[in-house]
Amino acid sequence: MFCFSVRAEESPIAYVKVVNGTCIAIQQGEERPLNLGDPLFKADVLKTSKESSLGVSFRDNTLISLGSSSQLKLENFEFDPDNNQLAFAVELFEGTLLYISGLIAKLTKKPEEELRITTPAGTVTVRGTRLFINAEQ
């Protein structure tokens, strides 16, 4: 119950748009199965099982897709262009990620600070692009 009341006060940063197979979100040790339309929050860790995939749409229309056996943390997301607060940061621990940039990538003046995809091999800053990453353990 406590976890739910905290969630009620948070604003979602993204929503599940496609779910194939078994996909979960983990935050503070709590797992929840993901279904079409579910909200996602900062610090959620998204996991797809074998032969599963997940599609996510962020508030700025950034799209990400995770392939099977993938794990990704939603580290940071801010989309308030009127106050020049823009940020997108995720960490791919393993698996595959397809990233298609949204409005943040078009509006940011500092992509090296505001747009980050971290992998076991390093960090990528992106702007206005499509990017496919495969991270192996």
Side-chain angles (χ1 to χ4, degrees):
M1 186 72 154
F2 176 75
C3 185
F4 177 77
S5 64
V6 170
R7 288 290 156 143
E9 295 172 12
E10 282 185 61
S11 294
I13 62 170
Y15 292 90
V16 174
K17 293 296 180 185
V18 177
V19 179
N20 293 308
T22 303
C23 302
I24 62 170
I26 305 166
Q27 189 169 106
Q28 298 176 348
E30 298 285 326
E31 290 187 8
R32 66 185 192 281
L34 293 175
N35 298 297
L36 189 64
D38 281 354
L40 299 170
F41 302 90
K42 261 188 215 181
D44 276 349
V45 175
L46 310 179
K47 288 181 78 172
T48 60
S49 62
K50 190 174 181 180
E51 298 185 23
S52 297
S53 60
L54 180 67
V56 173
S57 177
F58 289 79
R59 290 192 341 249
D60 75 320
N61 293 323
T62 293
L63 303 173
I64 61 170
S65 295
L66 292 175
S68 66
S69 302
S70 295
Q71 185 173 343
L72 176 90
K73 182 176 184 181
L74 306 178
E75 289 187 340
N76 192 17
F77 181 86
E78 295 179 37
F79 184 64
D80 185 359
D82 293 336
N83 293 308
N84 201 28
Q85 296 199 343
L86 304 167
F88 178 88
V90 296
E91 183 172 0
L92 181 65
F93 299 109
E94 65 179 321
T96 56
L97 169 71
L98 174 64
Y99 163 89
I100 302 173
S101 61
L103 290 174
I104 287 176
K106 293 170 180 57
L107 298 174
T108 184
K109 295 183 181 14
K110 300 180 277 184
E112 66 282 353
E113 295 174 21
E114 298 170 342
L115 299 169
R116 282 191 345 259
I117 299 174
T118 303
T119 71
T123 300
V124 177
T125 59
V126 292
R127 182 174 182 153
T129 191
R130 293 175 188 235
L131 178 66
F132 178 79
I133 299 171
N134 182 24
E136 297 178 356
Q137 286 270 23

